[in-house]
Amino acid sequence: MIVGPTAVGKTVYAIKVAKMLDTEIVSCDSRQCYCELRIGVARPSEDELGSVKHHFIANRSVREPYNVFTYEQEAMERIHNLFNSHDIVVAVGGSGLYADALCQGIALLPDPTPELRAELQALPLDELQGRLKALDPAYFERVDKQNPVRLQRALEVIRMTGRPYSEVIRQTKMKRPFEIEKIGLYCQPHILRERIDRRASLMAEEGLVEEVRSLTPLRNLQPLNTVGYKEIFAMLDGTCTEETALSAVKTHSWQYAKKQMSYFKRDKSILWKEN
RNA sequence: GGCGUUGUAGCUCAGUUGGUAGAGCAGCGGACUGAAAAUCCGUGUGUCAUUGGUUCAAUUCCAAUCAAUGCCA
């Protein structure tokens, strides 16, 4: 499992490792899996994809609902199959939650109905807090009470299962039937920032604006709520210039990279390598 | 050259009917079990352009200066 912040060089590194081990790559990336997103999510190039077999790159549409559990199910099945013909498989990705789901599993829970999600989404924060406090005081105690997404999610699960959220997610971590070695790629902050800026400029040259423009009809779908896309949509709305939008993409990518680092830093089993 | 307007945090700006000031963004740190490139939390002293004047007290009122900008010549 290879993790690390955006633009640190995971793609190239993973390909190198996979070639050396004569195996294939399973991606854990919550955006590169969409076939409609290419330039803005830094999908590996045709050459790169051709040099080593990749799984879960551009394998589904932003139009279909997707989530980390579906990913975990599909990816685990794929990995089991790969282990029939390979001793080792390379996994790589910057989506910490997806990587975690692959390494240690995730609770089996029913999806909320669209009606339920819409119903809870309409509730004000204090109402969400009140309900969760009543239905699952233990989780209410430790959840981020200001975060509507967290509160909504817990209430969805409670409604779907009839059990407290804190109970259904307890002890869902499992040992996989294979050894996992985690490698974290990092580099000095100023170097990472340069790489992010350079990559964003490159995306612009490759036609990021056109890619985003062509996705305008789909812009309200969650997968389009993504760094590199939302800033360009704003530009197409006329709220800012292309130059401003591009510099926002750079800034937001940097912020994203820092969030990734703070997520990965918690995992003490990661072996860090400067790249 | 004349008449205005503006000059406050890295940026965009609010504000103080005179008692030395605060938002958004950025920066920095953090959380995270089906939205995760998402979502959320914490963190704000800066010669309030400069120099004088009035005042117990000026970033706030007055004057001059400098800079930016607009209109007229």
Side-chain angles (χ1 to χ4, degrees):
Chain A
M1 170 65 70
I2 299 163
V3 298
T6 193
V8 78
K10 294 187 295 297
T11 298
V12 169
Y13 186 84
I15 288 171
K16 199 174 77 184
V17 172
K19 275 186 162 171
M20 202 170 70
L21 300 170
D22 193 23
T23 187
E24 303 182 6
I25 292 176
V26 172
S27 160
C28 13
D29 192 297
S30 70
R31 292 296 187 272
Q32 289 182 353
C33 58
Y34 295 113
C35 58
E36 293 91 345
L37 313 183
R38 183 174 68 87
I39 299 172
V41 296
R43 184 196 297 171
S45 69
E46 289 302 314
D47 282 355
E48 288 171 328
L49 293 174
S51 68
V52 174
K53 169 91 174 148
H54 281 68
H55 301 267
F56 304 102
I57 296 286
N59 68 317
R60 58 168 56 238
S61 169
V62 296
R63 298 165 202 269
E64 300 158 25
Y66 189 48
N67 60 48
V68 63
F69 180 70
T70 312
Y71 166 78
E72 189 257 3
Q73 298 290 290
E74 293 179 356
M76 281 312 295
E77 193 189 335
R78 193 71 58 91
I79 286 172
H80 281 302
N81 289 337
L82 285 170
F83 275 133
N84 286 331
S85 46
H86 301 275
D87 290 334
I88 186 163
V89 173
V90 172
V92 61
S95 302
L97 186 64
Y98 282 50
D100 284 349
L102 208 55
C103 291
Q104 54 195 219
I106 193 159
L108 170 57
L109 298 171
D111 284 330
T113 61
E115 294 77 30
L116 176 57
R117 174 152 289 192
E119 179 197 325
L120 293 172
Q121 216 149 25
L123 296 177
L125 190 63
D126 58 347
E127 177 65 25
L128 292 169
Q129 291 168 338
R131 288 191 185 192
L132 186 59
K133 190 175 184 179
L135 294 167
D136 189 351
Y139 186 63
F140 184 75
E141 193 60 25
R142 65 180 154 99
V143 72
D144 179 352
K145 297 168 188 59
Q146 300 303 311
N147 191 333
V149 172
R150 291 277 130 68
L151 303 174
Q152 278 164 28
R153 171 64 189 154
L155 289 169
E156 283 172 5
V157 172
I158 292 167
R159 187 80 73 84
M160 297 301 291
T161 62
R163 297 166 59 206
Y165 184 63
S166 55
E167 204 177 285
V168 283
I169 62 167
R170 188 185 301 156
Q171 312 226 319
T172 58
K173 292 181 183 174
M174 60 182 88
K175 181 88 176 69
R176 294 302 190 187
F178 45 81
E179 294 290 316
I180 299 172
E181 186 183 338
K182 293 185 195 174
I183 297 169
L185 259 32
Y186 74 97
C187 68
Q188 290 179 33
H190 71 276
I191 293 178
L192 186 59
R193 190 141 201 175
E194 276 169 28
R195 289 180 188 173
I196 286 170
D197 290 354
R198 203 177 323 129
R199 193 181 66 179
S201 298
L202 219 62
M203 286 176 178
E205 284 169 32
E206 284 172 12
L208 179 62
V209 172
E210 276 320 302
E211 175 171 311
V212 176
R213 198 197 307 276
S214 73
L215 293 169
T216 304
L218 306 171
R219 66 180 291 184
N220 291 323
L221 297 172
Q222 177 60 22
L224 274 299
N225 182 5
T226 297
V227 172
Y229 292 80
K230 47 188 174 185
E231 299 84 357
I232 305 296
F233 280 131
M235 177 204 102
L236 294 172
D237 288 339
T239 61
C240 65
T241 63
E242 180 168 345
E243 196 192 344
T244 307
L246 192 62
S247 95
V249 169
K250 292 172 179 175
T251 297
H252 295 156
S253 298
W254 171 245
Q255 292 171 336
Y256 171 50
K258 286 189 300 180
K259 281 196 294 189
Q260 286 174 299
M261 281 309 291
S262 91
Y263 188 93
F264 292 129
K265 264 191 288 187
R266 295 187 311 169
D267 187 341
K268 299 302 177 203
S269 66
I270 294 175
L271 191 76
W272 289 96
K273 263 193 155 84
E274 183 160 5
N275 192 45

